[in-house]
Amino acid sequence: MNEKRKIRLATCSLAGCFGCHMSLLDIDEKLFDLLGMVEFDRTPFTDIKRCGPCDIGIVEGGVSNAENVHVLKEFRKNCKVLVAIGACAITGGVPALRNNIDLWDCFQEVYLYEGGLEGNQIPNDPELPLPFDKVYPVYEVVKVDYFLPGCPPSADMIWKFLTDLIEGREPKLDYEMLRYD
Amino acid sequence: MEPHEFPQIEQQLAPVFERHGREAHWLLQILREAQEIFHFIPSAAITCIAAHLGVPRTRVEGVAGFYSFLSLKPVGEYRVLFSDNVTDQMQGNPELMRYFCHKLWLEPGKVSEDNLLSVDSTSCTGMCDQGPAALVNGWPLTNLDHERLDLIAELIRGRKPVCDWPPMLFEVKDNIRRSGTLLGEPFASGAAIRATLARSSAATLLEMEASGLRGRGGAGFSVARKWSMCRVSPGEKHYIVCNADEGEPGTFKDRVLLNSYADLVCEGMTVGARIIGATKGFLYLRGEYCYLLHKLEQALAQRRVAGLLGRNILGETGFDFDIEIHLGAGAYICGEESALIESLEGKRGRPRNRPPFPVTHGYLDQPTVVDNVETLACAARIAAQGGEWFAAMGTAQSSGSKILSIAGDCARPGIYEYPFGVTLHEILDDCGAEDPYAVQVSGPSGILVSSKEFGRCISFEDLPTAGAFTVFKRGRDLLQIVQNFVHFFAHESCGFCTPCRVGTQLQKKIVDKIANGHGTAYDLEELKQLGHIMQTMSHCGLGHTAPNPVLDMLKKFPDAYQHKLKDLAFEPAFDLDGALETARNITGRDDAWAHLP
Ligand SMILES: Cc1cc2nc3c(=O)[nH]c(=O)nc-3n(C[C@H](O)[C@H](O)[C@H](O)COP(=O)(O)O)c2cc1C
Ligand code: SF4
Ligand code: SF4
Ligand code: FES
């Protein structure tokens, strides 16, 4: 058997909008090429819920609650190379806009003033992920190997990055890909 | 509710406008005075000032937002700012600040409910030899202790105006411990100007050349070269500026020169003006030293009476020159010469692209010389006594003497003048340093020297310095010291370029992380890489030098941080479980999922 072992790839979205995942899908017909090179492990595309040993892990979104930490640590443990994709994963991004608002004020606004489905009360079900005081960037919680900037990074950039990595080259993005004006 | 309304604002600002006229380069001075009147810059004042100067509102707001001593939100009628320089810290300022806040039922950074008082910290106030220090409404308070703070609290509660407080609270000593030719020898006002007029400007420039005098503000550029370049630069007007921003933490020698040798400094400026052909000079005085303003104005007035400033100086027809004092408002970056010029023009202190350099395009785009206070004092001596006399002191490439501001762990902090070439051993002996372990030479942007290197000497060839000399004894927590420095840079970065704006913040975060016991070998690597980026990619000297203390510590003082490191490749930057505490309290949850290991 001399068929090359396929690269295993996992992705997840923490506090993000799935925009970065959409951008990955935006590589269009090259998705078929990608599927020729990789096998997906846990991702929203496969709906696999737990991450096994992988070569590459891609994380979208910042770290906003306790569950995000569990997912992120699972990724770090299992993925040889961990990539933070998009402004949210890299800096906290849009969700981090809440960092300037007191958490108690947020809860009041959402659950107390207008009233939720169950009336005016703050939910305390253990199944709900418990939010942090702030939204944190991924690199503050685990070691990150690569950062792909953009909101979202373009499909071209993601494609170039992944093919470099899969083919064993140090990923290199030229200036044109990194500018957004 | 709009708590602060100012129906009389135009009348209140009228005298300020009267004093300063309508040119936009007065903006910073106008804002300083508005801050004094209202204890902040109200929105209505911004509108009013913008209309008066004929500039956009955003320009006024942009400047008001840049300087630490200006504030867009109300601060107390009494604003007490504790100096958080490392020496103040070692002398107990953090504890004193807590004590004071506790006593007055106040949180740092907040204004008391009756708008009477606010307390906060500020970068080095230049009183390191007589700390712990603070500023109250801009006036320096020295030698603080519990007793003095009790008295101050009493005065504030009794709403006594700061000008009526007991003078002993504000006493600032010169503390000159060792003087050489610059500080020690007598100087007759006018001698340098007379000598310059007698031998001609060109000949005096040759004396400067022969003296080998190099700038004392840090970069060490040849004074003769700077002056001759400016002299030949075409321009409608030429300007000379005395850089009295003295913002480098641990430096306070310019304070003493301005307090007791102002005549010598003005004389240096006047000689320079004669040589470069300037009719106007500025003294840019850091906001922290505004207590010297009155005395300096008096010195200038006396010189005018004596015919040493003004029209036809010393009877020389057409030799007109005068000096104007501009006050800063709490921004370290304004010591950088091009940022200083921006500030003089009433703008945010943002360093310019260089080249062109100020000698060709400076104040209002005209040829401008910017020199440090001490440089100008030396120049006056050289003009009076000749270049060779000066060159005979010091080392081959560092002629003359250097004034050091010595503070920290030593028995006799203060001002020491040495010929260049003096070793650290000798200095440490003289100032009575007890078991010295490290010295920060030239402030946080300078060099952290370990005890193994105490044989090195103060000079441009070996250890160049702008004057700060901060001694640390064995047992001091060096990591904490470096932490203080990186916080300083993060606070003072002007924010213009990304490598420094972001780099100083990241540096602060990582050093904090290590100090809090979450650091790993990975973080050390990050610091090194970050330092390299800042040194090579930043726009100005602040960003270039901000990593120095970190890199010096990593290289020379492994013991300072190694015991703090976790034995892992990576550790989160914050306490994960702790960051859930707020939400636990709000929801009342304490289940397993509400915690992180
Ligand atoms: C961030 C920064 C702060 C500075 N602060 C001062 C200062 O407070 N006083 C000073 O004389 N020079 C300061 N300098 C150096 C000035 O840019 C300039 O080199 C100096 O005023 C030139 O005068 P000299 O040739 O007499 O030294 C600073 C430079 C930088 C980059
Ligand atoms: S970076 Fe932009 S696209 Fe990606 S998750 Fe965040 S908001 Fe969405
Ligand atoms: S290096 Fe720092 S201080 Fe200098 S221009 Fe850039 S941000 Fe401003
Ligand atoms: S425009 Fe914001 S960092 Fe460059």
Side-chain angles (χ1 to χ4, degrees):
Chain A
M1 284 245 294
N2 58 3
E3 196 194 323
K4 263 207 284 180
R5 182 183 71 85
K6 276 194 182 175
I7 298 281
R8 275 190 87 76
L9 176 70
T11 77
C12 65
S13 176
L14 308 177
C17 76
F18 279 94
C20 293
H21 275 84
M22 296 304 287
S23 199
L24 170 58
L25 294 179
D26 240 5
I27 59 176
D28 299 330
E29 77 286 355
K30 291 200 279 290
L31 267 175
F32 293 105
D33 301 335
L34 184 63
L35 283 172
M37 294 185 279
V38 308
E39 233 167 22
F40 279 112
D41 192 277
R42 169 181 173 155
T43 97
F45 311 137
T46 57
D47 216 20
I48 298 176
K49 301 289 188 215
R50 303 300 296 263
C51 178
C54 282
D55 299 292
I56 304 172
I58 298 181
V59 180
E60 167 195 300
V63 184
S64 165
N65 60 43
E67 193 216 3
N68 293 157
V69 171
H70 291 296
V71 175
L72 191 56
K73 289 204 160 166
E74 182 183 282
F75 264 63
R76 181 69 273 183
K77 208 169 104 203
N78 284 294
C79 305
K80 289 183 198 145
V81 173
L82 194 69
V83 184
I85 186 173
C88 299
I90 297 175
T91 67
V94 177
L97 287 175
R98 84 156 157 95
N99 289 2
N100 291 325
I101 305 170
D102 185 63
L103 192 60
W104 170 237
D105 291 342
C106 284
F107 269 84
Q108 277 191 326
E109 188 67 34
V110 175
Y111 296 111
L112 297 186
Y113 294 153
E114 293 295 328
L117 291 174
E118 297 174 52
N120 292 357
Q121 69 176 48
I122 289 176
N124 58 1
D125 194 316
E127 295 219 330
L128 296 173
L130 194 68
F132 281 122
D133 52 352
K134 288 194 289 187
V135 178
Y136 295 89
V138 168
Y139 75 85
E140 290 201 355
V141 180
V142 296
K143 178 172 185 293
V144 173
D145 301 303
Y146 292 99
F147 298 88
L148 271 188
C151 178
S154 68
D156 285 347
M157 191 210 283
I158 299 174
W159 175 248
K160 173 75 168 60
F161 173 81
L162 279 178
T163 45
D164 277 356
L165 207 56
I166 290 167
E167 286 161 19
R169 290 186 297 268
E170 184 62 29
K172 210 168 153 40
L173 305 170
D174 39 309
Y175 178 66
E176 283 308 314
M177 269 182 193
L178 285 166
R179 55 178 288 185
Y180 295 91
D181 51 350
Chain B
M1 191 193 73
E2 171 60 67
H4 297 274
E5 287 187 24
F6 300 93
Q8 309 278 303
I9 202 145
E10 279 179 38
Q11 288 90 313
Q12 282 172 288
L13 285 172
V16 181
F17 292 155
E18 184 97 356
R19 259 195 301 283
H20 295 305
R22 280 184 183 271
E23 281 129 304
H25 50 255
W26 284 108
L27 177 53
L28 178 56
Q29 308 304 308
I30 291 174
L31 284 170
R32 277 193 59 98
E33 294 189 24
Q35 172 86 31
E36 269 175 41
I37 299 174
F38 306 109
H39 308 297
F40 76 116
I41 314 285
S43 172
I46 292 179
T47 311
C48 191
I49 293 169
H52 172 78
L53 295 177
V55 298
R57 219 178 159 278
T58 44
R59 157 98 192 264
V60 180
E61 194 167 339
V63 172
F66 185 84
Y67 295 90
S68 303
F69 291 171
L70 305 177
S71 155
L72 291 167
K73 283 197 225 125
V75 292
E77 214 171 295
Y78 295 86
R79 188 188 200 187
V80 182
L81 299 173
F82 285 84
S83 173
D84 67 5
N85 182 32
V86 69
T87 48
D88 292 284
Q89 218 172 58
M90 299 191 311
Q91 288 160 334
N93 239 3
E95 190 274 322
L96 288 176
M97 180 163 154
R98 278 195 299 276
Y99 172 82
F100 189 64
C101 284
H102 185 74
K103 193 171 174 73
L104 288 157
W105 295 79
L106 202 70
E107 251 181 87
K110 300 240 166 91
V111 188
S112 65
E113 274 178 23
D114 51 2
N115 291 324
L116 181 66
L117 170 70
S118 56
V119 175
D120 217 328
S121 55
T122 188
S123 299
C124 180
T125 56
M127 300 291 158
C128 324
D129 55 335
Q130 42 208 307
L135 295 170
V136 56
N137 294 358
W139 294 88
L141 297 161
T142 52
N143 294 307
L144 289 176
D145 54 24
H146 291 133
E147 208 179 313
R148 287 193 174 201
L149 287 175
D150 290 345
L151 172 60
I152 291 167
E154 202 69 22
L155 291 163
I156 292 177
R157 280 207 202 99
R159 293 180 182 260
K160 197 156 181 124
V162 174
C163 52
D164 297 336
W165 290 15
M168 64 90 173
L169 288 173
F170 302 106
E171 193 186 18
V172 179
K173 293 211 178 91
D174 275 354
N175 288 333
I176 298 174
R177 312 274 184 187
R178 186 183 198 282
S179 38
T181 45
L182 192 60
L183 299 176
E185 290 179 13
F187 180 81
S189 292
I193 303 177
R194 277 194 191 90
T196 304
L197 291 174
R199 71 162 92 78
S200 87
S201 296
T204 305
L205 203 47
L206 288 177
E207 293 297 333
M208 292 295 155
E209 176 95 55
S211 75
L213 174 61
R214 297 171 66 170
R216 303 310 199 219
F221 196 79
S222 149
V223 170
R225 271 186 62 203
K226 195 190 280 188
W227 287 13
S228 46
M229 284 195 289
C230 187
R231 179 178 157 92
V232 299
S233 287
E236 279 165 38
K237 280 193 162 174
H238 288 57
Y239 295 95
I240 184 160
V241 178
C242 172
N243 187 345
D245 194 55
E246 191 154 74
E248 188 70 41
T251 322
F252 48 87
K253 45 121 192 149
D254 294 344
R255 178 196 88 206
V256 174
L257 284 170
L258 294 169
N259 186 49
S260 301
Y261 298 82
D263 229 23
L264 196 61
V265 178
C266 294
E267 188 108 355
M269 285 182 81
T270 314
V271 169
R274 177 70 178 172
I275 290 176
I276 65 166
T279 53
K280 185 152 186 188
F282 295 100
L283 191 146
Y284 187 91
L285 185 64
R286 71 186 305 222
E288 289 82 346
Y289 292 171
C290 78
Y291 75 101
L292 290 171
L293 181 64
H294 182 64
K295 197 167 171 185
L296 287 168
E297 294 282 15
Q298 277 183 330
L300 294 178
Q302 272 171 17
R303 289 182 70 85
R304 285 184 198 113
V305 171
L308 298 169
L309 275 181
R311 297 186 71 84
N312 304 325
I313 291 172
L314 288 179
E316 179 81 8
T317 326
F319 182 12
D320 302 340
F321 177 67
D322 213 327
I323 298 172
E324 206 171 84
I325 303 175
H326 267 233
L327 276 166
Y332 167 60
I333 190 58
C334 288
E336 195 281 338
E337 56 183 12
S338 66
L340 184 152
I341 290 171
E342 289 281 299
S343 183
L344 274 181
E345 292 181 3
K347 301 182 189 150
R348 293 162 71 90
R350 193 190 76 195
R352 293 178 177 174
N353 285 341
R354 294 164 1 126
F357 292 96
V359 281
T360 59
H361 296 78
Y363 181 67
L364 303 179
D365 237 15
Q366 300 301 312
T368 303
V369 155
V370 182
D371 271 320
N372 173 257
V373 176
E374 184 183 347
T375 313
L376 292 163
C378 292
R381 290 269 184 205
I382 293 164
Q385 283 161 264
E388 257 174 50
W389 156 82
F390 192 82
M393 290 176 285
T395 67
Q397 281 163 55
S398 320
S399 56
S401 64
K402 182 75 196 95
I403 305 179
L404 301 177
S405 324
I406 301 184
D409 292 317
C410 61
R412 293 174 293 280
I415 294 292
Y416 292 72
E417 181 186 354
Y418 287 101
F420 273 111
V422 59
T423 65
L424 266 52
H425 278 307
E426 196 178 326
I427 301 169
L428 289 165
D429 274 350
D430 287 351
C431 70
E434 25 170 332
D435 197 7
Y437 171 63
V439 178
Q440 185 73 33
V441 175
S442 204
S445 74
I447 306 164
L448 179 57
V449 180
S450 79
S451 51
K452 289 196 199 95
E453 307 169 87
F454 286 169
R456 296 177 67 179
C457 69
I458 298 291
S459 63
F460 292 105
E461 298 95 313
D462 187 3
L463 286 173
T465 177
F469 192 98
T470 313
V471 185
F472 304 112
K473 66 179 176 194
R474 194 167 303 280
R476 285 283 177 205
D477 181 349
L478 227 86
L479 181 60
Q480 201 183 2
I481 290 163
V482 170
Q483 197 181 8
N484 174 286
F485 294 163
V486 296
H487 278 248
F488 166 76
F489 286 120
H491 181 256
E492 297 293 343
S493 165
C494 86
F496 172 64
C497 71
T498 312
C500 166
R501 179 187 61 242
V502 178
T504 51
Q505 290 293 337
L506 289 177
Q507 196 171 255
K508 172 171 115 172
K509 269 191 167 179
I510 300 174
V511 172
D512 283 352
K513 182 180 171 186
I514 297 173
N516 294 336
H518 294 290
T520 61
Y522 171 80
D523 294 300
L524 303 181
E525 277 315 303
E526 282 285 300
L527 281 174
K528 282 184 204 158
Q529 280 192 22
L530 186 63
H532 178 71
I533 292 175
M534 293 167 73
Q535 284 177 333
T536 50
M537 308 296 276
S538 295
H539 177 68
C540 86
L542 192 152
H544 295 151
T545 56
N548 288 357
V550 174
L551 299 178
D552 278 344
M553 175 183 73
L554 291 181
K555 201 162 67 196
K556 302 181 192 172
F557 295 92
D559 292 348
Y561 54 87
Q562 262 167 358
H563 64 284
K564 288 265 188 183
L565 299 180
K566 290 239 174 172
D567 207 13
L568 300 165
F570 189 91
E571 264 282 299
F574 59 99
D575 170 8
L576 296 174
D577 192 55
L580 289 171
E581 179 70 16
T582 322
R584 274 197 297 267
N585 289 336
I586 295 174
T587 57
R589 279 175 57 182
D590 200 22
D591 53 272
W593 292 99
H595 286 276
L596 284 167

